[in-house]
């Protein structure tokens, strides 16, 4: 049984493995993304947050997902190119995953267990659902798709400063 967020290993978009333990002592914003969604412009806000706070201890981890309206149909290479060309993303992109159902990425099952959605729901409702994790690996908050990245700025600043939210 997984005890901690840092026990997970995920696959980067280039196929290499990444231990979540590599992100210990960092504030994490973990997002399921899609290239053809009405919320796709949030990539811009995510990149701005990353540029503003990466040197202070923020990591943004993007997990492309095609489970919502088929809005991430491309290959990993196409997804990477889309993000590079349209949003000049510099935060880590990971392999396309499922976030709900029997084939869900185990990390996402963990996140959903730790931070439930509306009315205690575990399932993720749409693209660009965000999970905020403190420096100790505790999942502290879940934000829905409509929450713009800039609206999370104060919470990120508090966690970077070692405060609770």
């Amino acid at each position: 049984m997984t005890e901690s967020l840092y026990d997970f290993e995920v696959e980067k978009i280039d196929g290499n493995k990444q231990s979540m333990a590599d992100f210990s002592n960092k504030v994490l914003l973990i997002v399921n993304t899609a290239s053809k969604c009405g919320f796709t412009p949030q990539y811009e806000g995510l990149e701005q947050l990353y540029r503003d706070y990466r040197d202070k201890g923020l990591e943004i981890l993007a997990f492309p997902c095609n489970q919502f309206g088929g809005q991430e149909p491309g290959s990993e290479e196409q997804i990477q190119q889309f993000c590079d060309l349209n949003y000049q993303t510099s935060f880590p992109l990971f392999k396309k995953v499922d976030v709900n159902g029997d084939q869900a990425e185990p990390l996402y099952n963990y996140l959903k267990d730790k931070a439930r959605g509306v009315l205690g729901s575990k399932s993720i409702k749409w693209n660009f659902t965000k999970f905020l994790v403190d420096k100790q690996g505790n999942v502290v908050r879940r934000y829905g798709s409509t929450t713009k990245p800039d609206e999370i700025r104060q919470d990120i600043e508090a966690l970077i400063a070692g405060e609770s939210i």
Side-chain angles (χ1 to χ4, degrees), residues 44-164:
E44 186 174 338
L46 292 170
E47 180 62 22
Q48 188 61 56
L49 282 177
Y50 189 58
R51 289 179 186 202
D52 291 348
Y53 296 108
R54 69 179 162 206
D55 293 338
K56 296 176 182 167
L58 174 69
E59 286 291 338
I60 295 177
L61 311 181
F63 288 84
C65 177
N66 195 40
Q67 284 190 293
F68 305 103
Q71 294 181 345
E72 189 59 278
S75 67
E76 271 76 17
E77 186 178 344
Q78 289 169 323
I79 295 165
Q80 180 75 63
Q81 287 176 345
F82 173 85
C83 290
D84 289 348
L85 290 171
N86 293 288
Y87 296 101
Q88 297 77 49
T89 55
S90 57
F91 51 83
L93 287 170
F94 292 84
K95 183 178 180 222
K96 187 162 46 173
V97 299
D98 284 354
V99 297
N100 292 325
D102 294 341
Q103 302 300 314
E105 168 65 43
L107 172 64
Y108 265 88
N109 288 332
Y110 179 85
L111 294 169
K112 294 184 298 183
D113 280 343
K114 298 295 180 186
R116 306 257 172 150
V118 177
L119 303 176
S121 165
K122 277 177 66 170
S123 69
I124 291 175
K125 303 291 186 238
W126 203 252
N127 303 309
F128 290 89
T129 296
K130 301 155 202 75
F131 291 90
L132 189 59
V133 179
D134 69 15
K135 293 179 187 178
Q136 292 74 44
N138 301 305
V139 184
V140 294
R141 194 157 290 163
R142 178 193 243 189
Y143 306 89
S145 304
T146 58
T147 302
K148 293 181 173 83
D150 200 54
E151 295 172 41
I152 305 170
R153 185 175 291 271
Q154 278 188 298
D155 291 346
I156 290 168
E157 288 175 356
L159 292 180
I160 287 172
E163 302 165 7
S164 56

